[in-house]
Tab-separated table of all heavy atoms in Angstrom:
chain	number	residue	atom	x	y	z
U	113	ILE	N	6.122	27.246	-10.562
U	113	ILE	CA	5.525	25.927	-10.818
U	113	ILE	C	6.521	24.809	-10.510
U	113	ILE	O	6.146	23.762	-9.983
U	113	ILE	CB	5.012	25.848	-12.274
U	113	ILE	CG1	3.784	26.752	-12.414
U	113	ILE	CG2	4.686	24.409	-12.670
U	113	ILE	CD1	3.168	26.778	-13.785
U	114	SER	N	7.795	25.019	-10.808
U	114	SER	CA	8.810	24.010	-10.467
U	114	SER	C	8.847	23.795	-8.965
U	114	SER	O	8.935	22.655	-8.483
U	114	SER	CB	10.185	24.444	-10.970
U	114	SER	OG	10.211	24.539	-12.372
U	115	PHE	N	8.783	24.885	-8.213
U	115	PHE	CA	8.769	24.789	-6.744
U	115	PHE	C	7.550	23.996	-6.269
U	115	PHE	O	7.664	23.096	-5.415
U	115	PHE	CB	8.772	26.179	-6.121
U	115	PHE	CG	8.590	26.178	-4.622
U	115	PHE	CD1	9.642	25.836	-3.782
U	115	PHE	CD2	7.360	26.495	-4.060
U	115	PHE	CE1	9.470	25.815	-2.404
U	115	PHE	CE2	7.184	26.476	-2.690
U	115	PHE	CZ	8.241	26.140	-1.856
U	116	LEU	N	6.367	24.302	-6.833
U	116	LEU	CA	5.143	23.612	-6.429
U	116	LEU	C	5.202	22.126	-6.765
U	116	LEU	O	4.811	21.280	-5.959
U	116	LEU	CB	3.926	24.251	-7.112
U	116	LEU	CG	3.502	25.636	-6.611
U	116	LEU	CD1	2.386	26.189	-7.488
U	116	LEU	CD2	3.029	25.563	-5.162
U	117	LYS	N	5.721	21.812	-7.959
U	117	LYS	CA	5.784	20.413	-8.380
U	117	LYS	C	6.746	19.611	-7.502
U	117	LYS	O	6.431	18.493	-7.079
U	117	LYS	CB	6.238	20.322	-9.841
U	117	LYS	CG	5.237	20.868	-10.843
U	117	LYS	CD	4.049	19.945	-11.043
U	117	LYS	CE	4.395	18.770	-11.896
U	117	LYS	NZ	3.208	17.933	-12.190
U	118	LEU	N	7.923	20.172	-7.248
U	118	LEU	CA	8.916	19.468	-6.437
U	118	LEU	C	8.455	19.346	-4.990
U	118	LEU	O	8.692	18.326	-4.333
U	118	LEU	CB	10.263	20.183	-6.521
U	118	LEU	CG	10.948	20.109	-7.898
U	118	LEU	CD1	12.129	21.080	-7.957
U	118	LEU	CD2	11.410	18.688	-8.189
U	119	LEU	N	7.789	20.401	-4.482
U	119	LEU	CA	7.262	20.356	-3.123
U	119	LEU	C	6.181	19.285	-3.005
U	119	LEU	O	6.167	18.495	-2.048
U	119	LEU	CB	6.690	21.724	-2.737
U	119	LEU	CG	6.073	21.827	-1.336
U	119	LEU	CD1	7.135	21.615	-0.265
U	119	LEU	CD2	5.371	23.170	-1.139
U	120	ASN	N	5.279	19.239	-3.983
U	120	ASN	CA	4.216	18.247	-3.990
U	120	ASN	C	4.788	16.831	-4.059
U	120	ASN	O	4.355	15.924	-3.336
U	120	ASN	CB	3.294	18.497	-5.190
U	120	ASN	CG	2.178	17.479	-5.294
U	120	ASN	OD1	1.400	17.291	-4.380
U	120	ASN	ND2	2.110	16.806	-6.428
U	121	PHE	N	5.793	16.635	-4.913
U	121	PHE	CA	6.448	15.339	-5.072
U	121	PHE	C	7.089	14.905	-3.757
U	121	PHE	O	6.948	13.758	-3.316
U	121	PHE	CB	7.504	15.445	-6.178
U	121	PHE	CG	8.225	14.161	-6.479
U	121	PHE	CD1	7.618	13.160	-7.223
U	121	PHE	CD2	9.522	13.950	-6.021
U	121	PHE	CE1	8.285	11.976	-7.511
U	121	PHE	CE2	10.196	12.776	-6.303
U	121	PHE	CZ	9.577	11.789	-7.044
U	122	SER	N	7.771	15.832	-3.103
U	122	SER	CA	8.463	15.528	-1.847
U	122	SER	C	7.472	15.239	-0.720
U	122	SER	O	7.642	14.278	0.036
U	122	SER	CB	9.368	16.702	-1.463
U	122	SER	OG	9.979	16.480	-0.217
U	123	LEU	N	6.425	16.058	-0.616
U	123	LEU	CA	5.447	15.880	0.458
U	123	LEU	C	4.701	14.557	0.326
U	123	LEU	O	4.430	13.882	1.322
U	123	LEU	CB	4.458	17.050	0.469
U	123	LEU	CG	5.012	18.398	0.946
U	123	LEU	CD1	3.945	19.485	0.840
U	123	LEU	CD2	5.523	18.303	2.388
U	124	LEU	N	4.361	14.184	-0.911
U	124	LEU	CA	3.669	12.917	-1.115
U	124	LEU	C	4.557	11.734	-0.713
U	124	LEU	O	4.078	10.764	-0.104
U	124	LEU	CB	3.242	12.774	-2.575
U	124	LEU	CG	1.948	13.473	-2.977
U	124	LEU	CD1	1.720	13.373	-4.475
U	124	LEU	CD2	0.763	12.870	-2.234
U	125	ASN	N	5.816	11.817	-1.063
U	125	ASN	CA	6.744	10.752	-0.674
U	125	ASN	C	6.863	10.645	0.841
U	125	ASN	O	6.867	9.551	1.410
U	125	ASN	CB	8.123	10.996	-1.295
U	125	ASN	CG	8.157	10.667	-2.781
U	125	ASN	OD1	7.286	9.971	-3.282
U	125	ASN	ND2	9.160	11.164	-3.481
U	126	LYS	N	6.961	11.795	1.511
U	126	LYS	CA	7.060	11.794	2.979
U	126	LYS	C	5.768	11.285	3.606
U	126	LYS	O	5.790	10.571	4.617
U	126	LYS	CB	7.359	13.210	3.476
U	126	LYS	CG	8.726	13.748	3.043
U	126	LYS	CD	9.870	12.912	3.576
U	126	LYS	CE	11.221	13.490	3.177
U	126	LYS	NZ	12.346	12.610	3.576
U	127	TYR	N	4.640	11.653	2.996
U	127	TYR	CA	3.335	11.224	3.506
U	127	TYR	C	3.208	9.702	3.477
U	127	TYR	O	2.750	9.079	4.429
U	127	TYR	CB	2.241	11.863	2.654
U	127	TYR	CG	0.834	11.416	2.974
U	127	TYR	CD1	0.224	11.747	4.181
U	127	TYR	CD2	0.095	10.670	2.054
U	127	TYR	CE1	-1.070	11.342	4.468
U	127	TYR	CE2	-1.195	10.271	2.328
U	127	TYR	CZ	-1.766	10.612	3.533
U	127	TYR	OH	-3.044	10.203	3.809
U	128	ARG	N	3.647	9.109	2.357
U	128	ARG	CA	3.574	7.646	2.255
U	128	ARG	C	4.611	6.960	3.133
U	128	ARG	O	4.357	5.902	3.705
U	128	ARG	CB	3.746	7.229	0.788
U	128	ARG	CG	2.564	7.565	-0.096
U	128	ARG	CD	2.679	6.930	-1.471
U	128	ARG	NE	3.657	7.583	-2.297
U	128	ARG	CZ	3.371	8.427	-3.291
U	128	ARG	NH1	2.111	8.729	-3.537
U	128	ARG	NH2	4.326	8.965	-4.014
U	129	GLU	N	5.793	7.584	3.246
U	129	GLU	CA	6.886	6.959	3.979
U	129	GLU	C	6.697	7.044	5.492
U	129	GLU	O	6.885	6.059	6.205
U	129	GLU	CB	8.201	7.632	3.586
U	129	GLU	CG	9.426	7.039	4.254
U	129	GLU	CD	10.712	7.731	3.829
U	129	GLU	OE1	10.639	8.727	3.074
U	129	GLU	OE2	11.782	7.289	4.259
U	130	ARG	N	6.302	8.202	5.992
U	130	ARG	CA	6.275	8.413	7.444
U	130	ARG	C	4.883	8.256	8.050
U	130	ARG	O	4.736	7.705	9.145
U	130	ARG	CB	6.824	9.808	7.765
U	130	ARG	CG	8.285	9.965	7.356
U	130	ARG	CD	8.832	11.308	7.782
U	130	ARG	NE	10.246	11.464	7.380
U	130	ARG	CZ	10.974	12.539	7.614
U	130	ARG	NH1	10.430	13.588	8.242
U	130	ARG	NH2	12.232	12.589	7.211
U	131	ILE	N	3.860	8.741	7.359
U	131	ILE	CA	2.507	8.686	7.912
U	131	ILE	C	1.782	7.414	7.481
U	131	ILE	O	0.741	7.066	8.021
U	131	ILE	CB	1.712	9.952	7.498
U	131	ILE	CG1	2.475	11.204	7.948
U	131	ILE	CG2	0.317	9.964	8.099
U	131	ILE	CD1	1.824	12.506	7.557
U	132	LYS	N	2.349	6.716	6.505
U	132	LYS	CA	1.773	5.476	5.981
U	132	LYS	C	0.415	5.722	5.337
U	132	LYS	O	-0.506	4.905	5.443
U	132	LYS	CB	1.625	4.407	7.081
U	132	LYS	CG	2.887	4.153	7.884
U	132	LYS	CD	4.020	3.646	7.027
U	132	LYS	CE	5.261	3.364	7.851
U	132	LYS	NZ	6.426	3.011	7.026
U	133	GLY	N	0.280	6.858	4.680
U	133	GLY	CA	-0.955	7.163	3.976
U	133	GLY	C	-0.890	6.715	2.536
U	133	GLY	O	0.176	6.562	1.968
U	134	ASN	N	-2.088	6.531	1.934
U	134	ASN	CA	-2.186	6.166	0.512
U	134	ASN	C	-1.371	4.901	0.203
U	134	ASN	O	-0.635	4.829	-0.770
U	134	ASN	CB	-1.701	7.339	-0.352
U	134	ASN	CG	-2.074	7.177	-1.810
U	134	ASN	OD1	-2.999	6.446	-2.136
U	134	ASN	ND2	-1.346	7.836	-2.677
U	135	ILE	N	-1.509	3.880	1.067
U	135	ILE	CA	-0.722	2.651	0.958
U	135	ILE	C	-1.473	1.605	0.133
U	135	ILE	O	-2.691	1.486	0.221
U	135	ILE	CB	-0.430	2.083	2.372
U	135	ILE	CG1	0.467	3.045	3.156
U	135	ILE	CG2	0.209	0.712	2.286
U	135	ILE	CD1	1.851	3.202	2.582
U	136	ARG	N	-0.728	0.846	-0.681
U	136	ARG	CA	-1.288	-0.275	-1.433
U	136	ARG	C	-0.725	-1.578	-0.870
U	136	ARG	O	0.496	-1.736	-0.762
U	136	ARG	CB	-0.926	-0.169	-2.917
U	136	ARG	CG	-1.225	1.173	-3.559
U	136	ARG	CD	-2.692	1.542	-3.472
U	136	ARG	NE	-3.531	0.562	-4.106
U	136	ARG	CZ	-3.803	0.555	-5.412
U	136	ARG	NH1	-3.268	1.460	-6.197
U	136	ARG	NH2	-4.600	-0.354	-5.919
U	137	ASN	N	-1.591	-2.503	-0.500
U	137	ASN	CA	-1.173	-3.816	-0.007
U	137	ASN	C	-0.853	-4.731	-1.187
U	137	ASN	O	-1.666	-4.836	-2.125
U	137	ASN	CB	-2.278	-4.446	0.851
U	137	ASN	CG	-2.545	-3.636	2.103
U	137	ASN	OD1	-1.620	-3.160	2.751
U	137	ASN	ND2	-3.815	-3.463	2.448
U	138	VAL	N	0.300	-5.397	-1.139
U	138	VAL	CA	0.734	-6.212	-2.276
U	138	VAL	C	1.205	-7.595	-1.826
U	138	VAL	O	1.652	-7.769	-0.690
U	138	VAL	CB	1.873	-5.521	-3.068
U	138	VAL	CG1	1.429	-4.161	-3.576
U	138	VAL	CG2	3.138	-5.387	-2.216
U	139	VAL	N	1.087	-8.583	-2.730
U	139	VAL	CA	1.690	-9.897	-2.542
U	139	VAL	C	2.534	-10.210	-3.772
U	139	VAL	O	2.280	-9.696	-4.865
U	139	VAL	CB	0.642	-11.018	-2.340
U	139	VAL	CG1	-0.143	-10.803	-1.068
U	139	VAL	CG2	-0.277	-11.132	-3.545
U	140	VAL	N	3.542	-11.053	-3.586
U	140	VAL	CA	4.418	-11.464	-4.683
U	140	VAL	C	4.295	-12.974	-4.845
U	140	VAL	O	4.421	-13.726	-3.876
U	140	VAL	CB	5.885	-11.069	-4.404
U	140	VAL	CG1	6.803	-11.626	-5.488
U	140	VAL	CG2	6.014	-9.556	-4.324
U	141	ILE	N	4.034	-13.399	-6.071
U	141	ILE	CA	3.946	-14.825	-6.381
U	141	ILE	C	5.239	-15.226	-7.075
U	141	ILE	O	5.486	-14.861	-8.225
U	141	ILE	CB	2.742	-15.131	-7.302
U	141	ILE	CG1	1.464	-14.469	-6.760
U	141	ILE	CG2	2.570	-16.631	-7.454
U	141	ILE	CD1	1.051	-14.939	-5.392
U	142	GLY	N	6.095	-15.962	-6.378
U	142	GLY	CA	7.370	-16.380	-6.942
U	142	GLY	C	8.531	-16.088	-6.013
U	142	GLY	O	8.470	-15.156	-5.195
U	143	LYS	N	9.603	-16.890	-6.130
U	143	LYS	CA	10.818	-16.674	-5.344
U	143	LYS	C	12.046	-16.645	-6.232
U	143	LYS	O	13.110	-17.160	-5.886
U	143	LYS	CB	10.952	-17.764	-4.273
U	143	LYS	CG	10.032	-17.556	-3.079
U	143	LYS	CD	10.402	-18.454	-1.911
U	143	LYS	CE	9.517	-18.139	-0.692
U	143	LYS	NZ	9.844	-19.002	0.454
U	144	SER	N	11.893	-16.023	-7.379
U	144	SER	CA	13.020	-15.858	-8.291
U	144	SER	C	13.878	-14.678	-7.830
U	144	SER	O	13.529	-13.961	-6.883
U	144	SER	CB	12.517	-15.601	-9.709
U	144	SER	OG	11.802	-14.375	-9.762
U	145	LYS	N	14.983	-14.473	-8.511
U	145	LYS	CA	15.872	-13.354	-8.183
U	145	LYS	C	15.152	-12.031	-8.336
U	145	LYS	O	15.257	-11.138	-7.479
U	145	LYS	CB	17.117	-13.404	-9.075
U	145	LYS	CG	18.132	-12.302	-8.782
U	145	LYS	CD	19.351	-12.430	-9.685
U	145	LYS	CE	20.343	-11.301	-9.396
U	145	LYS	NZ	21.537	-11.385	-10.277
U	146	LYS	N	14.399	-11.893	-9.426
U	146	LYS	CA	13.675	-10.648	-9.663
U	146	LYS	C	12.559	-10.443	-8.643
U	146	LYS	O	12.287	-9.314	-8.220
U	146	LYS	CB	13.104	-10.617	-11.082
U	146	LYS	CG	14.146	-10.352	-12.153
U	146	LYS	CD	13.497	-10.113	-13.506
U	146	LYS	CE	14.540	-9.758	-14.548
U	146	LYS	NZ	13.918	-9.501	-15.873
U	147	ALA	N	11.914	-11.533	-8.244
U	147	ALA	CA	10.856	-11.425	-7.234
U	147	ALA	C	11.426	-10.917	-5.915
U	147	ALA	O	10.840	-10.049	-5.260
U	147	ALA	CB	10.175	-12.776	-7.041
U	148	ASN	N	12.581	-11.440	-5.530
U	148	ASN	CA	13.221	-10.981	-4.288
U	148	ASN	C	13.691	-9.537	-4.401
U	148	ASN	O	13.654	-8.785	-3.424
U	148	ASN	CB	14.387	-11.905	-3.938
U	148	ASN	CG	13.928	-13.304	-3.554
U	148	ASN	OD1	12.815	-13.477	-3.052
U	148	ASN	ND2	14.759	-14.307	-3.816
U	149	GLN	N	14.158	-9.150	-5.588
U	149	GLN	CA	14.545	-7.750	-5.795
U	149	GLN	C	13.340	-6.823	-5.654
U	149	GLN	O	13.441	-5.731	-5.089
U	149	GLN	CB	15.172	-7.584	-7.185
U	149	GLN	CG	16.574	-8.160	-7.309
U	149	GLN	CD	17.101	-8.067	-8.730
U	149	GLN	OE1	16.344	-7.890	-9.684
U	149	GLN	NE2	18.411	-8.198	-8.890
U	150	LEU	N	12.195	-7.272	-6.177
U	150	LEU	CA	10.977	-6.465	-6.074
U	150	LEU	C	10.556	-6.299	-4.620
U	150	LEU	O	10.179	-5.201	-4.190
U	150	LEU	CB	9.859	-7.116	-6.884
U	150	LEU	CG	8.511	-6.386	-6.853
U	150	LEU	CD1	8.632	-4.984	-7.442
U	150	LEU	CD2	7.439	-7.182	-7.607
U	151	ILE	N	10.630	-7.374	-3.848
U	151	ILE	CA	10.283	-7.292	-2.424
U	151	ILE	C	11.215	-6.319	-1.712
U	151	ILE	O	10.787	-5.540	-0.846
U	151	ILE	CB	10.350	-8.693	-1.783
U	151	ILE	CG1	9.250	-9.581	-2.361
U	151	ILE	CG2	10.218	-8.608	-0.262
U	151	ILE	CD1	9.366	-11.044	-1.988
Side-chain angles (χ1 to χ4, degrees):
I113 290 180
S114 297
F115 173 77
L116 288 174
K117 292 286 284 185
L118 292 169
L119 179 64
N120 178 57
F121 182 77
S122 176
L123 289 177
L124 278 174
N125 285 342
K126 295 299 182 186
Y127 175 68
R128 289 190 286 257
E129 182 180 4
R130 297 185 180 180
I131 304 178
K132 309 299 181 186
N134 194 22
I135 295 294
R136 309 301 301 275
N137 296 318
V138 302
V139 296
V140 174
I141 311 299
K143 283 193 176 179
S144 64
K145 182 179 179 181
K146 285 189 176 181
N148 293 332
Q149 287 175 342
L150 179 62
I151 293 170

